[in-house]
Amino acid sequence: MKKTAEIVIIGGGVSGLATAYFLAKMGMKDIVVLEKGYIASGSTGRCGAGIRQQWGTEMNCRMAINACDFYEKGNEILEYDDDIEFKQGGYLIIATTEKEHEQFKKNVALQQSLGIPVKHLTPQEALEVVPFLNISDVLSATYCKKDGHLNPFKVCDAFAKACRKLGVEINTYTKVEDIVVENGRIKEVVTDKGNIATNKVMNAAGGYSQVIAKMVGIDLPVYSERHNILVTEPVEPFLGPMVMAFQKNLYIQQVPHGSVIMGKGDPNEPRDFTIKSSWHFLDEMARIACDTLPPLRGLRMVRQWAGLYNMSPDCQPVLGSVDEVEGFYMAIGFSGHGFMMGPTTGMVIAEHILGQESELTKLLIGMLHLSRFEKGELILEPSVV
Amino acid sequence: MSQNKTIVCRCEDLTLEDIRELIKKGYKSVDEIKRISRCGMGPCQGRTCRDIVLSELAKAEGKDISELKMSTFRPPVKPVKLGLIERGEE
Ligand SMILES: Cc1cc2nc3c(=O)[nH]c(=O)nc-3n(C[C@H](O)[C@H](O)[C@H](O)COP(=O)(O)OP(=O)(O)OC[C@H]3O[C@@H](n4cnc5c(N)ncnc54)[C@H](O)[C@@H]3O)c2cc1C
């Protein structure tokens, strides 16, 4: 392990790895990534890995468009010797309440104005996209054929390999235990494998972001929350798009390999670091999924697991530097949608650190800075699960 | 048939050669191999393959099997139809 570094990035998930990649690509030397487990062992390797451009704020639409463009060319850009398995089968998002239906009209107008190929469908038209959808309680649906999902392990594997080729040092099974700050500046990172002298640290620790921030004396207004997910045996392709419902807090997708993955939020989850699977989830999930897509009744589920959402007060991430400590950067609080934003996160943080900010980076750093919570400038995104 | 072509994971059709190749590339735990290759993610949930993967890892690292970490056993124990769970018959 290096003894000194230009920057130490804490977290080997999509956020940390993408940032390391963009920094190295833009010419920074001596980048070290520290990961306490293996690559993608945090939320990234546990997530649904869906990407949608169908958001209700311009900011999120633009973040997702940028990330989608990257993922479309991901194998080539990263010169990956495998496949990140980007399936663009679309997202079909269903409205089951009048309020959602009204909101979808506004969302679609916004999305179309930004060039996103989205359509507002009647229940009958939704049936043309997913023929066996139970439309008894569906008022309308929106569909964007360019949305989809990826294989999160492969995405991280691709970033990690590209990073190593560019000279980034990635240390797995290395846990950050403390960060030394002197006169308001980052000095050193303390790990269970030794210390690294550095003036810059990036907090990309996902569900543990608040623990890392504490090390430099910052109390983050975020908490972590367990989210369960399950997968069935692989079967012949039958489900093109990801089916999602905000009101039911639900998403269901079939990955290219054939398995069907589904998850569901639960407002009663404990706010801690628990990631044990829960039985309660399985009962609820089976009921609501079979009701929404009846053919699922015949599928056998083979595995259930869980991961953490790092929740911020407005369910939007915190990006960029902080006023309190010089050299401390963050990309945290993704509140359940940080995988899809990964490439944008990496680009934005790298441009911000190197002082080469594009228009999108300026916009995002301006809006997503930590100080927004104190100033009361919260972002109101209607389309979150 | 050479020993290397022995099927280790029947669900995902992975051979001993595939597993040894991944270990050589630097994936150094049952969890890492499971996630990159799906070995142990199929309907049998790793009932045969994970012991073989573990012993291959132990061999490669020159360690005893007891020193290595097994992946988490996740519910359910046997694949079960969603329709049965829905009706509360699991
Ligand atoms: C069930 C579920 C479904 C989801 N579905 C989606 C989806 O469909 N689309 C989407 O965009 N997002 C989804 N998400 C959210 C997504 O997983 C996260 O927003 C995203 O993966 C965050 O990536 P990250 O790199 O910031 O964090 P992580 O992937 O959690 O990476 C942080 C890493 O930091 C490491 N770390 C922590 N503390 C330390 C330390 N002290 N020292 C060293 N390393 C440390 C951890 O081990 C971890 O690997 C889902 C999440 C869950 C749980």
Side-chain angles (χ1 to χ4, degrees), chain A residues 83-96:
Chain A
D83 181 6
I84 58 175
E85 296 171 19
F86 190 11
K87 171 182 161 190
Q88 285 176 292
Y91 259 56
L92 183 78
I93 308 182
I94 55 183
T96 53

Side-chain angles (χ1 to χ4, degrees), chain A residues 10-16 34-51 91 174-177 204-208 211-212 215 225-229 242 251 253 305-309 331-332 334-341:
Chain A
I10 306 171
V14 73
S15 306
L34 302 177
E35 165 53 56
K36 72 178 158 93
Y38 49 89
I39 298 290
S41 57
S43 301
T44 302
R46 299 167 177 276
C47 80
I51 171 165
Y91 259 56
T174 307
K175 187 176 181 190
V176 173
E177 293 180 331
Y208 294 85
V211 179
I212 299 296
M215 294 177 185
E225 180 180 274
R226 175 180 68 181
H227 277 248
N228 287 281
I229 182 164
M242 167 95 90
Y251 58 90
Q253 71 188 50
W305 69 95
L308 296 174
Y309 275 24
I332 59 107
F334 284 100
S335 310
H337 54 269
F339 175 77
M340 67 180 78
M341 305 301 191

Side-chain angles (χ1 to χ4, degrees), chain A residues 244-312:
Chain A
M244 185 168 180
F246 296 124
Q247 190 60 36
K248 299 181 181 178
N249 231 316
L250 158 89
Y251 58 90
I252 304 170
Q253 71 188 50
Q254 185 177 27
V255 301
H257 185 66
S259 323
V260 179
I261 291 183
M262 58 192 87
K264 195 188 153 303
D266 178 347
N268 301 318
E269 283 294 351
R271 294 184 173 191
D272 57 21
F273 301 104
T274 314
I275 51 167
K276 287 229 166 65
S277 317
S278 88
W279 282 104
H280 174 65
F281 159 74
L282 184 54
D283 291 344
E284 287 244 297
M285 184 78 240
R287 198 172 43 72
I288 205 160
C290 294
D291 182 58
T292 308
L293 296 173
L296 290 177
R297 293 201 168 92
L299 290 195
R300 293 183 303 168
M301 85 91 132
V302 295
R303 186 171 63 256
Q304 168 190 358
W305 69 95
L308 296 174
Y309 275 24
N310 194 225
M311 301 299 296
S312 83

Side-chain angles (χ1 to χ4, degrees), chain A residues 179-189 196-201 216 325-329:
Chain A
I179 301 169
V180 183
V181 179
E182 254 175 47
N183 303 325
R185 295 187 61 179
I186 299 282
K187 275 282 160 212
E188 196 174 39
V189 175
I196 305 175
T198 183
N199 291 318
K200 291 188 184 71
V201 164
V216 302
V325 184
E326 197 182 322
F328 191 67
Y329 301 89

Side-chain angles (χ1 to χ4, degrees), chain A residues 79-356:
Chain A
E79 294 173 19
Y80 191 36
D81 60 357
D82 200 333
D83 181 6
I84 58 175
E85 296 171 19
F86 190 11
K87 171 182 161 190
Q88 285 176 292
Y91 259 56
L92 183 78
I93 308 182
I94 55 183
T96 53
T97 64
E98 201 50 53
K99 195 172 157 226
E100 274 185 298
H101 174 65
E102 288 305 316
Q103 183 64 46
F104 281 13
K105 286 186 196 163
K106 292 184 206 153
N107 289 0
V108 166
L110 168 75
Q111 291 154 10
Q112 287 177 342
S113 77
L114 295 166
I116 297 168
V118 61
K119 287 188 198 133
H120 201 170
L121 309 178
T122 62
Q124 282 307 322
E125 288 168 334
L127 275 183
E128 285 165 28
V129 181
V130 178
F132 38 81
L133 179 71
N134 174 4
I135 53 165
S136 61
D137 60 351
V138 175
L139 297 178
S140 69
T142 64
Y143 175 63
C144 169
K145 64 176 193 299
K146 281 182 72 185
D147 292 345
H149 46 80
L150 300 104
N151 179 327
F153 308 117
K154 296 284 176 82
V155 167
C156 286
D157 192 49
F159 272 120
K161 281 180 176 156
C163 278
R164 289 196 180 106
K165 267 192 230 157
L166 291 164
V168 175
E169 181 181 286
I170 302 176
N171 296 303
T172 52
Y173 303 101
T174 307
K175 187 176 181 190
V176 173
E177 293 180 331
D178 203 3
I179 301 169
V180 183
V181 179
E182 254 175 47
N183 303 325
R185 295 187 61 179
I186 299 282
K187 275 282 160 212
E188 196 174 39
V189 175
V190 180
T191 83
D192 58 356
K193 304 262 172 74
N195 298 4
I196 305 175
T198 183
N199 291 318
K200 291 188 184 71
V201 164
M202 176 190 177
N203 179 1
Y208 294 85
S209 70
Q210 55 274 45
V211 179
I212 299 296
K214 262 260 160 60
M215 294 177 185
V216 302
I218 294 177
D219 249 322
L220 287 182
V222 305
Y223 63 90
S224 294
E225 180 180 274
R226 175 180 68 181
H227 277 248
N228 287 281
I229 182 164
L230 68 80
V231 62
T232 72
E233 62 195 333
V235 290
E236 287 300 310
F238 74 102
L239 181 62
M242 167 95 90
V243 174
M244 185 168 180
F246 296 124
Q247 190 60 36
K248 299 181 181 178
N249 231 316
L250 158 89
Y251 58 90
I252 304 170
Q253 71 188 50
Q254 185 177 27
V255 301
H257 185 66
S259 323
V260 179
I261 291 183
M262 58 192 87
K264 195 188 153 303
D266 178 347
N268 301 318
E269 283 294 351
R271 294 184 173 191
D272 57 21
F273 301 104
T274 314
I275 51 167
K276 287 229 166 65
S277 317
S278 88
W279 282 104
H280 174 65
F281 159 74
L282 184 54
D283 291 344
E284 287 244 297
M285 184 78 240
R287 198 172 43 72
I288 205 160
C290 294
D291 182 58
T292 308
L293 296 173
L296 290 177
R297 293 201 168 92
L299 290 195
R300 293 183 303 168
M301 85 91 132
V302 295
R303 186 171 63 256
Q304 168 190 358
W305 69 95
L308 296 174
Y309 275 24
N310 194 225
M311 301 299 296
S312 83
D314 59 4
C315 300
Q316 302 305 315
V318 176
L319 298 183
S321 53
V322 295
D323 301 332
E324 294 83 352
V325 184
E326 197 182 322
F328 191 67
Y329 301 89
M330 297 198 288
I332 59 107
F334 284 100
S335 310
H337 54 269
F339 175 77
M340 67 180 78
M341 305 301 191
T344 307
T345 302
M347 182 197 90
V348 165
I349 300 292
E351 291 184 359
H352 177 57
I353 290 175
L354 295 174
Q356 303 174 25

